[in-house]
Amino acid sequence: MKKIGFLSFGHWSNHPNYKTRTASDTLLQSIDLAIAAEEIGLDGAYFRVHHFAAQLASPFPLLSAIGAKTSKIEIGTGVIDMRYENPLYMVEDAGAADLISAGRLQLGISRGSPEQVIDGWRYFGYEPAEGETDADMGRRKALEFLERLKGVGFAQPNPYPMFPNPPGLLRLEPHSEGLRERIWWGAASNATAVWAAENGMNLQSSTLKYDEGGKPFHIQQAEQIRLYKEAWKKAGHQREPRVSVSRSIFALVNDQDKYYFGQEAGRVDKIGFIEQDKRAIFGRSYVATPDRLINELAQDEAIQEADTLLLTIPNTLGVDYNVHVLSSILEHVAPGLGWR
């Protein structure tokens, strides 16, 4: 058995072929898709976060709305760029969203990736400390976020408060018990995967990672996951960690599928640069008939190592078509792999 969710980048554009012409379209359709995904038996609804782009950016209003309209499906991010975040304010937002959803929040965070503008976090009022890089700042903020999620008091109470205070130091409210264990780190390298394990976070590994050896993507990703699991065990954490991988997987079951994605069949891994000095490997898409997909996916070592698979979706094609895409995997592919 494997948990299966979708991952949406939440694009919109005033394009004649898009079902998402505006931000409102994307937000409202994201809610509708999460509701429909729960109805067909999907396990998770996850959303990417990008700033200064025609994509989803502020996750907590969306996650809260989905949490209020659903009852079982996990809701999360993949990932929130911590360089842009106030960790304390984020604790309050996350706590509220988690309570609204009755403890179904699964938050993916990271130090961030290249964005649409140069040093976009500066416009949000943040600067790395002396001697820090922006990546260091993102990781520092992540650790502060994790610490405050524990619900331990740290703030000195006012001796003359507006409302009576409980005894002792005050914590941020609302506090959601257990949310600290449902934080995931999006790691692009083996080293940051190990760091995530040492700090007690679940692991999210996407469709790209830094090229650290020249092997095929799924093998490098599987090695990253094994290093993470070894580091987790060595750290002595008392719970079992979770690991997710993302994939673009499309089952060709009708002419519409072939029209949209048939040209993607047979694609291979690609090498590129997401930063000037960072060579990255991008995992291939899986596009084929269900029987071929079952054979191909059975050979993906990283999927075998993960307990959760996030299916990247073409959100601009609308709710109905994406429900079809997801249903096709659940009905025609997952059973043949023992995932259902």
Side-chain angles (χ1 to χ4, degrees), residues 115-161:
E115 291 288 304
Q116 298 301 107
V117 300
I118 297 171
D119 296 347
W121 30 269
R122 295 187 190 277
Y123 295 97
F124 279 55
Y126 301 118
E127 298 279 348
E130 186 175 353
E132 272 190 332
T133 65
D134 63 298
D136 294 334
M137 177 178 67
R139 284 187 282 268
R140 170 173 54 81
K141 287 185 173 190
L143 293 178
E144 184 176 5
F145 175 62
L146 294 175
E147 182 63 27
R148 300 312 178 201
L149 277 177
K150 294 177 182 177
V152 177
F154 64 94
Q156 190 68 39
N158 186 343
Y160 306 105

Side-chain angles (χ1 to χ4, degrees), residues 2-246:
K2 195 178 296 291
K3 287 186 179 292
I4 303 174
F6 72 76
L7 175 62
S8 173
F9 278 56
H11 294 282
W12 70 83
S13 177
N14 190 23
H15 187 285
N17 293 328
Y18 278 20
K19 301 291 187 182
T20 52
R21 302 285 186 89
T22 66
S24 177
D25 291 340
T26 296
L27 288 163
L28 294 174
Q29 288 184 32
S30 295
I31 298 169
D32 290 342
L33 181 57
I35 294 169
E38 179 175 87
E39 291 173 351
I40 65 173
L42 210 70
D43 300 301
Y46 289 74
F47 301 91
R48 189 67 167 88
V49 178
H50 279 292
H51 301 287
F52 298 103
Q55 293 176 243
L56 296 171
S58 51
F60 293 107
L62 175 60
L63 297 176
S64 296
I66 293 172
K69 296 245 181 200
T70 57
S71 60
K72 295 180 294 185
I73 197 168
E74 295 180 340
I75 52 177
T77 52
V79 290
I80 297 172
D81 186 337
M82 292 303 296
R83 296 175 300 179
Y84 287 79
E85 296 296 320
N86 177 320
L88 275 65
Y89 202 163
M90 186 174 168
V91 167
E92 295 178 342
D93 280 348
D98 195 45
L99 291 171
I100 289 170
S101 69
R104 290 181 283 130
L105 209 59
Q106 303 284 343
L107 279 186
I109 65 175
S110 83
R111 65 90 168 175
S113 59
E115 291 288 304
Q116 298 301 107
V117 300
I118 297 171
D119 296 347
W121 30 269
R122 295 187 190 277
Y123 295 97
F124 279 55
Y126 301 118
E127 298 279 348
E130 186 175 353
E132 272 190 332
T133 65
D134 63 298
D136 294 334
M137 177 178 67
R139 284 187 282 268
R140 170 173 54 81
K141 287 185 173 190
L143 293 178
E144 184 176 5
F145 175 62
L146 294 175
E147 182 63 27
R148 300 312 178 201
L149 277 177
K150 294 177 182 177
V152 177
F154 64 94
Q156 190 68 39
N158 186 343
Y160 306 105
M162 182 178 294
F163 308 104
N165 279 325
L169 300 177
L170 301 184
R171 69 184 184 185
L172 293 168
E173 300 289 355
H175 173 68
S176 187
E177 193 69 35
L179 179 56
R180 169 63 179 83
E181 296 185 352
R182 288 179 273 115
I183 306 302
W184 306 58
W185 184 258
S189 69
N190 292 347
T192 50
V194 169
W195 180 83
E198 292 169 345
N199 286 285
M201 287 182 279
N202 299 318
L203 177 66
Q204 284 185 341
S205 194
S206 72
T207 51
L208 69 88
K209 71 179 295 295
Y210 294 142
D211 186 12
E212 299 178 273
K215 298 176 184 177
F217 171 78
H218 75 102
I219 293 177
Q220 290 199 48
Q221 191 175 49
E223 291 174 347
Q224 179 195 47
I225 294 170
R226 293 181 193 118
L227 288 170
Y228 166 83
K229 290 178 178 178
E230 291 171 6
W232 183 277
K233 185 177 180 179
K234 185 177 179 181
H237 302 302
Q238 297 303 304
R239 64 179 178 89
E240 286 297 314
R242 288 183 60 183
V243 175
S244 74
V245 295
S246 303

